Amino acid sequence: MSELILDIQGLTKEFILPNKETLTACDQLSFTAKKGQTIGIVGESGSGKSTLVNMLMLMETPTQGKIHYREKNILNLNRREIWQLRPNIQMVFQSPTASINPKMKVIDVVTEPLFNYKRLKAKDKRKKAQELLALVDLSEEYLERYAHHLSGGQCQRVCIARALALNPEILICDEATSALDVSVQKNIIDLLINLQKKNNMTILFVSHDLALVQSFAHEILVMQNGVIVDRLSQEQNLNASEVTYTQCLLNSVYSLSKVKQRLLLEN
Ligand SMILES: Nc1ncnc2c1ncn2[C@@H]1O[C@H](COP(=O)(O)OP(=O)(O)O)[C@@H](O)[C@H]1O
Ligand SMILES: [Mg+2]
């Protein structure tokens, strides 16, 4: 797990608001990611997590800073080079239903990226779609369905299958499990862990849930107001973090044992 895949230095994004004030959504962010590593990016709503990953996807232009993917500065690419880069960095979004065209069947959703990149022949479409669904533990009976005939969890599996179609080296998940039931969320995370082991992908997993991310990320970046305020390794006991904000996030986790403890103290 030593190969450096992503090197981000001083990444900053300022938005100019309608009242001409400047909002710094991301402020001098620096971190690296290695091949096969899962980085958790955690922080409350509005802390700049989506802006950060949108810059990595080249959906937002940084005000300042560098993004190197495999030693290549991806902020200087021309359109053709961006097209060539895209398959390597793919993203799964929070709302699975909103990110699937409701008029398309699952078979077309998951194979679309391959046709766009001319990596699939029409005659091989069904077989490839089946393979992709198998990766996310969905049987071929789902191939002919539309998004509105799927549960939230099944829909997110389809989105993951689509993101995996081009065999990306980096998978970015922006609150990809936040809209799902807790049990479904766990299944999707188990799925991602297995996929990562198989494909040796690098995963950037964005979430507001620190306890969840800690269960599987190798490293966690804690963001507050656009700044990385804490960096934690998996081995590190989160409770030992000296950063008050990390403690606040931890304390905001609803835990039955904590409630019981408090009730005992009060009585
Ligand atoms: N296009 C935009 N124009 C102006 N402000 C924005 C824009 N996108 C995001 N922001 C602001 O940047 C901050 C960070 O937002 P975001 O990256 O979405 O946070 P998070 O994903 O952590 O909830 C927020 O204050 C948000 O309102
Ligand atoms: Mg967000």
Short mmCIF file of all heavy atoms in Angstrom, two decimals, residues 46 49-51 94 174-175 206, ligand 2:
data_model
loop_
_atom_site.label_atom_id
_atom_site.label_comp_id
_atom_site.label_asym_id
_atom_site.label_seq_id
_atom_site.Cartn_x
_atom_site.Cartn_y
_atom_site.Cartn_z
N GLY A 46 -21.85 21.49 5.60
CA GLY A 46 -21.34 22.83 5.31
C GLY A 46 -19.85 22.99 5.59
O GLY A 46 -19.29 24.08 5.43
N LYS A 49 -16.86 19.43 2.53
CA LYS A 49 -16.51 18.09 2.05
C LYS A 49 -16.87 17.91 0.56
O LYS A 49 -16.05 17.46 -0.23
CB LYS A 49 -17.24 17.01 2.88
CG LYS A 49 -17.04 17.16 4.36
CD LYS A 49 -17.80 16.09 5.15
CE LYS A 49 -19.30 16.08 4.99
NZ LYS A 49 -20.01 17.25 5.56
N SER A 50 -18.10 18.30 0.21
CA SER A 50 -18.52 18.11 -1.19
C SER A 50 -17.72 19.01 -2.12
O SER A 50 -17.36 18.60 -3.23
CB SER A 50 -20.01 18.39 -1.36
OG SER A 50 -20.76 17.42 -0.67
N THR A 51 -17.44 20.23 -1.66
CA THR A 51 -16.64 21.14 -2.50
C THR A 51 -15.28 20.51 -2.78
O THR A 51 -14.78 20.54 -3.91
CB THR A 51 -16.48 22.51 -1.81
OG1 THR A 51 -17.78 23.00 -1.47
CG2 THR A 51 -15.78 23.50 -2.70
N GLN A 94 -24.92 10.98 -3.08
CA GLN A 94 -25.78 10.68 -1.93
C GLN A 94 -27.13 10.08 -2.34
O GLN A 94 -27.58 9.10 -1.77
CB GLN A 94 -26.03 11.97 -1.13
CG GLN A 94 -27.06 11.74 -0.02
CD GLN A 94 -27.06 12.85 1.01
OE1 GLN A 94 -26.45 13.89 0.82
NE2 GLN A 94 -27.73 12.62 2.11
N ASP A 174 -19.63 10.33 -1.96
CA ASP A 174 -20.02 11.53 -1.21
C ASP A 174 -21.35 11.27 -0.50
O ASP A 174 -22.40 11.30 -1.12
CB ASP A 174 -20.15 12.74 -2.15
CG ASP A 174 -20.37 14.04 -1.37
OD1 ASP A 174 -20.44 13.98 -0.12
OD2 ASP A 174 -20.45 15.10 -2.00
N GLU A 175 -21.29 10.98 0.79
CA GLU A 175 -22.47 10.65 1.61
C GLU A 175 -23.27 9.54 0.92
O GLU A 175 -24.50 9.54 0.95
CB GLU A 175 -23.36 11.90 1.81
CG GLU A 175 -22.67 13.09 2.42
CD GLU A 175 -22.67 13.08 3.95
OE1 GLU A 175 -23.06 12.06 4.54
OE2 GLU A 175 -22.26 14.10 4.55
N VAL A 206 -16.74 10.17 1.94
CA VAL A 206 -17.18 11.40 2.61
C VAL A 206 -18.42 11.10 3.44
O VAL A 206 -19.37 10.49 2.95
CB VAL A 206 -17.53 12.46 1.55
CG1 VAL A 206 -18.16 13.67 2.20
CG2 VAL A 206 -16.31 12.83 0.74
MG MG B 2 -21.91 17.50 1.02
#
